Amino acid sequence: MDIKSDIFKYGKTIFSTKGFKKTNIKEIAQSAGIGVGTFYNYYTSKEQLFLEIYIQENENFKKRLIESIDLDQEPVKVMNQLIMKNIEAIETNPILKEWYSQDFYKELEQYYRNEGSKNIDSFRDFYMDLFKNWKAQGKIREDIDDDLLPVFFDSLVYIDTHKDEIGVQHFPKIIQYLAEFIMQGLTNHHK
């Protein structure tokens, strides 16, 4: 029996049902058939366990997201779908929902600010390639440096991890609008 993966599995189920705040370690330990002390041999806190679950869930979602989108559409449409499906996932998936929930988003933001660059790499590679291809096909303004293209969307991630300073009530609306404005600007062919 792999205790760590049991804790992970039962933790995920309970977090999915009750949310981060209402879930407690005792309950997770009981479901996994272990004592609370044993839980602490594997995870230092409920936060640490949730973070691992969140990261895995987010990675899996991003993979499915990339596979689900028709990349031959116009760039504005592709980006719009990426953003909309992302927001939809956050609203419908109880784990991902914590990204905009008062209870835990500060910890998530902190993590993604410190470590995030490592974790969004696969997704970043994906949209860097996307931009390169679009530029090669003449779908994106030529006067914008290749190095700069992905930075527009890195900036959105940065904005998304500063919800507090900007005002949580403006999310995710502000991200949708900014993504739309960026894409309109990038695909606008004025010389």
Side-chain angles (χ1 to χ4, degrees):
M1 176 174 126
D2 180 358
I3 295 177
K4 187 167 187 174
S5 69
D6 276 357
I7 295 172
F8 189 94
K9 184 178 75 185
Y10 289 108
K12 184 172 173 175
T13 305
I14 299 169
F15 283 131
S16 294
T17 319
K18 298 182 120 182
F20 172 77
K21 195 176 186 177
K22 292 194 175 111
T23 298
N24 63 54
I25 289 176
K26 190 173 167 212
E27 203 175 353
I28 296 171
Q30 277 172 345
S31 303
I34 57 169
V36 170
T38 308
F39 175 96
Y40 287 109
N41 294 337
Y42 296 91
Y43 292 97
T44 52
S45 63
K46 170 173 104 164
E47 282 77 6
Q48 191 203 357
L49 172 62
F50 183 80
L51 193 56
E52 272 189 30
I53 292 170
Y54 181 92
I55 291 162
Q56 189 206 62
E57 193 70 7
N58 197 30
E59 282 291 299
N60 292 344
F61 164 68
K62 293 277 191 283
K63 281 193 191 82
R64 289 195 309 272
L65 175 65
I66 290 170
E67 287 157 11
S68 74
I69 287 183
D70 170 12
L71 301 177
D72 298 327
Q73 306 174 87
E74 283 310 297
V76 176
K77 271 203 173 127
V78 172
M79 273 305 158
N80 189 28
Q81 282 183 358
L82 281 174
I83 302 273
M84 292 306 290
K85 286 187 177 197
N86 207 21
I87 287 165
E88 200 179 295
I90 288 172
E91 285 167 357
T92 54
N93 179 320
I95 303 278
L96 298 179
K97 205 176 202 156
E98 298 289 341
W99 182 251
Y100 287 123
S101 136
Q102 295 287 350
D103 300 326
F104 196 63
Y105 75 81
K106 286 198 184 64
E107 286 86 344
L108 284 172
E109 286 181 353
Q110 199 52 52
Y111 170 81
Y112 278 99
R113 276 184 222 174
N114 299 341
E115 305 286 330
S117 55
K118 296 194 211 46
N119 278 286
I120 57 173
D121 274 352
S122 59
F123 196 58
R124 191 173 191 275
D125 290 344
F126 159 72
Y127 68 77
M128 279 177 77
D129 288 346
L130 208 49
F131 280 125
K132 279 199 189 95
N133 292 338
W134 285 338
K135 200 170 173 185
Q137 296 163 13
K139 291 182 176 179
I140 281 185
R141 282 171 50 178
E142 278 158 32
D143 59 322
I144 295 174
D145 266 6
D146 282 0
D147 302 346
L148 201 55
L149 285 172
V151 178
F152 287 108
F153 284 86
D154 293 347
S155 304
L156 285 185
V157 173
Y158 190 74
I159 288 168
D160 211 23
T161 54
H162 287 267
K163 293 185 281 292
D164 238 25
E165 294 94 319
I166 295 166
V168 181
Q169 71 277 18
H170 301 306
F171 287 83
K173 263 282 167 261
I174 189 71
I175 296 293
Q176 281 170 288
Y177 280 124
L178 288 172
E180 184 190 322
F181 300 159
I182 290 169
M183 285 312 296
Q184 284 170 351
L186 287 177
T187 52
N188 196 342
H189 285 286
H190 291 305
K191 291 279 177 278

